[in-house]
């Protein structure tokens, strides 16, 4: 397999336009573990705990996205502080849900402000 370099002529390189996609499963388990400074067993454990679900390549190998690596890095921080993997996964999942809820609430607030006051209130 020949490597396709990222150049001005081929700005997407081997990722085919996914260079900026946080959800694109670009990293193998070995590379993901290396980037996080952890073991492949840790990645399997947080997968078993359903914190992240890596996609599988055609050959059945786990592939991780940048978003999943950020989630795994947060779990690793908690585990390094003495939290069990199961508890760390639950904490990270709840943090992620809270962040998403806050983002949605902010969108609703902006939409309500743009719509103006309800009829009869001025």
């Amino acid at each position: 397999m020949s490597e396709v370099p990222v150049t001005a002529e081929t700005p997407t390189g081997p990722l085919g336009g996914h260079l900026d996609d946080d959800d694109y499963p670009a990293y193998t388990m070995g590379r993901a573990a290396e980037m996080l400074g952890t073991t492949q067993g840790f990645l399997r454990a947080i997968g078993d705990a359903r914190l992240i679900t890596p996609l599988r390549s055609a050959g059945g190998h786990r592939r991780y996205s940048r978003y999943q690596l950020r989630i795994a890095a947060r779990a690793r921080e908690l585990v390094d502080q003495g939290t069990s993997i199961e508890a760390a996964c639950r904490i990270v999942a709840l943090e992620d849900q809270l962040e998403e809820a806050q983002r949605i609430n902010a969108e609703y607030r902006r939409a309500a402000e743009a719509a103006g006051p309800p009829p009869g209130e001025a």
Side-chain angles (χ1 to χ4, degrees):
M1 181 170 111
S2 66
E3 180 101 8
V4 178
V6 177
T7 67
E9 293 78 35
T10 59
T12 58
L15 297 179
H18 298 286
L19 204 54
D20 294 328
D21 186 351
D22 268 0
D23 295 318
Y24 184 73
Y27 303 98
T28 63
M29 177 182 270
R31 179 69 180 129
E34 180 183 313
M35 291 170 67
L36 295 170
T38 189
T39 65
Q40 293 181 16
F42 175 79
L43 290 173
R44 281 188 210 95
I46 63 174
D48 291 346
R50 297 188 180 156
L51 178 62
I52 58 175
T53 303
L55 290 174
R56 298 283 182 150
S57 69
H61 300 282
R62 291 173 179 90
R63 305 286 293 193
Y64 297 88
S65 68
R66 286 190 305 226
Y67 172 75
Q68 289 173 324
L69 294 184
R70 283 195 300 273
I71 296 291
R74 176 64 180 129
R76 180 174 179 228
E77 288 174 8
L78 291 168
V79 169
D80 287 350
Q81 295 170 4
T83 306
S84 72
I85 286 180
E86 295 80 15
C89 289
R90 185 68 181 144
I91 290 167
V92 173
L94 290 170
E95 287 174 344
D96 197 47
Q97 289 172 6
L98 176 60
E99 184 179 317
E100 178 67 7
Q102 289 172 332
R103 185 191 61 75
I104 291 168
N105 283 340
E107 286 178 16
Y108 284 145
R109 267 189 243 106
R110 281 191 298 276
E113 289 169 2
E121 287 185 30

